Amino acid sequence: MNLVNKQYLLASRPTGEPSVDNFRLVETPIPALVDGQVLVRNHYLSLDPYMRGRMNEGRSYAEPQPLNQVMVGGTVGEVVDSRSPQFQVGDQVVGMGGWQQYLLVDANQRGVLQKVDSSQIPLSAYLGAVGMPGVTAWYGLLKVIAPQAGETVVVSAASGAVGSVVGQLARLRGCRVVGIAGGTEKCRAVVEDYGFDACIDYRQHPEPQSLAAALQAACPNGIDGDFENVGGTILDAVMLNCNAFARIAVCGMISGYNGEPIPMRAPQLILVNRMKIEGFIVSEHLPLWPEALKELGTLVASGQLKYRESVAQGIESAPAAFLGLLKGRNFGKQLVRLI
Amino acid sequence: MNLVNKQYLLASRPTGEPSVDNFRLVETPIPALVDGQVLVRNHYLSLDPYMRGRMNEGRSYAEPQPLNQVMVGGTVGEVVDSRSPQFQVGDQVVGMGGWQQYLLVDANQRGVLQKVDSSQIPLSAYLGAVGMPGVTAWYGLLKVIAPQAGETVVVSAASGAVGSVVGQLARLRGCRVVGIAGGTEKCRAVVEDYGFDACIDYRQHPEPQSLAAALQAACPNGIDGDFENVGGTILDAVMLNCNAFARIAVCGMISGYNGEPIPMRAPQLILVNRMKIEGFIVSEHLPLWPEALKELGTLVASGQLKYRESVAQGIESAPAAFLGLLKGRNFGKQLVRLI
């Protein structure tokens, strides 16, 4: 084969809001495979909020994305060439293929590629509801919030790849579930498509007091659990409505990703309400992934767990799609279709 | 008997900082006992920061202290009259006797009085290291922070009745322990008397950056656990030095008791460092008290757990002693001697 691989590198680090200029497209010839290597043609690239944190230089939970290297990212695809006995041409695989059309890897690296079966679950779902976002929802809801039937759970970024799964799993466990999302259309889908009991459009509540009042109305018994994807004034409004022994799973604080300070207004509520606030990163809980993926896969295959995708076409569309994701322009799991 | 009981009532609620005018001294005749009642002469009254929260009208973790009723408070004393088969004159007891010289109670109320033994443990210690403050330290350290040997634990209000026990228990479990206290004398005692590895005088660090730098120097391996009694800028400085998976036990936020807003500056660190922040109230964990009191009693009796008391003399001194406690003028457990 004489293939060329289109790749996006991180060209520079953003100061404040990122732009398309932070990325650079390059074309790299793909060398012949050596023993143990596998070549995967990536079908879908997953775009996720965590990538924003990696673009910064500063200390975060993960190493910064190195400059002038291929942007990190989850992918699903198909093996198109193999010099490993573990993989055959035609195998469908999920892995961290990055922002590029092809992934060339040493298949002996443990866990670098996972075979998946698209007969009952669409290939792209392995990047969403049956992938990292789904497991993130599962872990934060079940292992941090650990809700009881009858409790009220609030989910911010409720229409997103993670939030929509959080709410559906909580409903299946008998909770009242209230979403927070941006815009009428998203809120409608959160209730009608994903079955949340209610959804609040934060754009209609620019003042924290107004948002807190809307939450109070939607949560007549108070809030017992919060799956926090946003932080900032949304978290403040949630905390004002928390019951004693409320649990907040901190999954994201997208409101602060560009470096603006986002103080927590009333931390004394942690004491007053004996709250637990816990941050987590799903990649640090790998032993629980099989259990989570089994439940999520079963629910998706049986149609009980619904999801939605925003698909951008072609590798060239990745930077703009990513910037749109950070502004909430996507609707459901943001993917880039690479074939 | 024809006794008169001097009592302090809550006369008014403070707006901002409390003053002696919020309390009123009254003298009340003690009626003859009826069947089942016990009369206790209180020897010591415990003054504690939680009382400040009770003085406010607003929602907190406990009901507000009602106006024109005897101020709530823990006491130790001696039974001086009894019409209950469960208690005899001369029994030493601990209970919630309030800000008054005598406590008249129905001894059939479960748990209203607990007999204690002062042969090996001084009576007053049942209000401190072997009482509610000691159990508070024990619970927050062992059940919320759950430190491992070799980890670094920070304790604010380190010279206080709770903080001094936290540090000593953490040292006994092999931790590096760094205190934060106000003033040279307190810091000296924290290190020399209680055996902390280091103590930082927050008065020498009015700027959060300066306090954070001092913590960094005292915690070369970062902070794994924080027993938080103060909140505000102290908590901010601690969070800046926290390691991944750090645990913060929120026991008090005395910096905000007078109603000033005390935002948390950088809540995104909860996510970045996958921290757990948990508020707790020791009275909600009664099943663990026997285990805690057994360890604390053994350590005090054997001299391994040290404590210090500030004793004000006479019921009339209670309001001023309480206000001094809120300003950190006490040194160790604040008591009022009533006999």
Side-chain angles (χ1 to χ4, degrees), chain A residues 17-307:
Chain A
E17 229 172 88
S19 78
V20 292
D21 297 334
N22 295 124
F23 306 96
R24 185 171 67 247
L25 186 66
V26 296
E27 300 196 9
T28 311
I30 296 173
L33 275 60
V34 300
D35 268 356
Q37 282 188 327
V38 164
L39 184 67
V40 179
R41 185 178 183 199
N42 295 329
H43 287 205
Y44 289 96
L45 163 67
S46 174
L47 295 177
D48 300 278
Y50 76 84
M51 295 165 172
R52 177 63 188 86
R54 300 279 180 98
M55 293 175 76
N56 290 339
E57 193 158 30
R59 176 188 178 197
S60 184
Y61 48 77
E63 289 297 301
Q65 159 80 40
L67 285 173
N68 301 312
Q69 293 195 18
V70 179
M71 277 291 294
V72 71
T75 50
V76 286
E78 196 174 302
V79 173
V80 291
D81 197 0
S82 175
R83 288 189 61 179
S84 162
Q86 298 175 57
F87 292 92
Q88 299 191 318
V89 170
D91 282 349
Q92 294 181 311
V93 291
V94 59
M96 291 299 285
W99 292 30
Q100 58 184 345
Q101 293 173 306
Y102 291 91
L103 169 65
L104 179 68
V105 284
D106 177 357
N108 294 319
Q109 291 177 269
R110 192 157 163 263
V112 72
L113 291 178
Q114 310 268 354
K115 287 187 209 180
V116 293
D117 174 5
S118 66
S119 63
Q120 290 199 292
I121 297 171
L123 196 55
S124 62
Y126 289 103
L127 296 178
V130 192
M132 187 271 284
V135 180
T136 300
W138 186 95
Y139 181 88
L141 179 71
L142 300 183
K143 299 302 170 183
V144 180
I145 297 175
Q148 303 294 308
E151 288 193 324
T152 298
V153 174
V154 168
V155 188
S156 55
S159 69
V162 174
S164 62
V165 175
V166 172
Q168 291 177 83
L169 291 177
R171 283 279 300 169
L172 286 168
R173 279 161 175 83
C175 296
R176 175 173 177 82
V177 182
V178 175
I180 301 174
T184 314
E185 199 200 348
K186 284 184 179 176
C187 286
R188 188 204 54 72
V190 164
V191 172
E192 292 181 13
D193 300 346
Y194 299 134
F196 286 46
D197 295 283
C199 190
I200 295 166
D201 180 359
Y202 68 79
R203 292 184 189 165
Q204 293 184 16
H205 302 282
E207 297 300 314
Q209 283 73 14
S210 168
L211 184 60
L215 274 167
Q216 190 173 27
C219 305
N221 298 321
I223 298 170
D224 302 295
D226 172 47
F227 194 103
E228 192 51 57
N229 286 309
V230 178
T233 55
I234 287 182
L235 177 57
D236 288 335
V238 166
M239 286 180 70
L240 286 171
N241 286 286
C242 273
N243 291 328
F245 308 109
R247 292 83 66 196
I248 297 184
V250 181
C251 173
M253 287 210 171
I254 197 168
S255 64
Y257 281 0
N258 290 337
E260 309 92 347
I262 42 162
M264 178 190 288
R265 232 175 238 228
Q268 68 273 20
L269 293 171
I270 300 170
L271 176 61
V272 169
N273 291 328
R274 293 85 86 203
M275 294 171 61
K276 183 180 80 168
I277 305 183
E278 191 170 341
F280 73 98
I281 296 170
V282 72
S283 57
E284 292 177 330
H285 304 281
L286 293 179
L288 291 168
W289 281 54
E291 182 188 350
L293 289 172
K294 188 177 170 192
E295 177 173 355
L296 296 162
T298 303
L299 291 171
V300 165
S302 67
Q304 290 177 271
L305 183 64
K306 298 189 170 55
Y307 62 91

Side-chain angles (χ1 to χ4, degrees), chain B residues 222-297:
Chain B
I223 297 170
D224 302 296
D226 173 48
F227 194 104
E228 192 52 56
N229 286 309
V230 178
T233 55
I234 287 183
L235 177 56
D236 288 334
V238 166
M239 287 179 68
L240 287 171
N241 286 286
C242 273
N243 291 328
F245 309 110
R247 292 85 65 195
I248 296 184
V250 181
C251 174
M253 288 210 171
I254 199 168
S255 64
Y257 281 179
N258 291 335
E260 308 92 346
I262 42 162
M264 178 190 289
R265 233 174 237 229
Q268 68 274 21
L269 293 171
I270 299 170
L271 176 60
V272 169
N273 292 328
R274 292 84 88 204
M275 294 171 60
K276 183 179 80 168
I277 305 183
E278 191 169 343
F280 73 98
I281 296 171
V282 73
S283 56
E284 292 176 332
H285 304 280
L286 293 180
L288 291 168
W289 281 54
E291 182 188 349
L293 289 172
K294 188 178 170 193
E295 177 174 353
L296 295 162

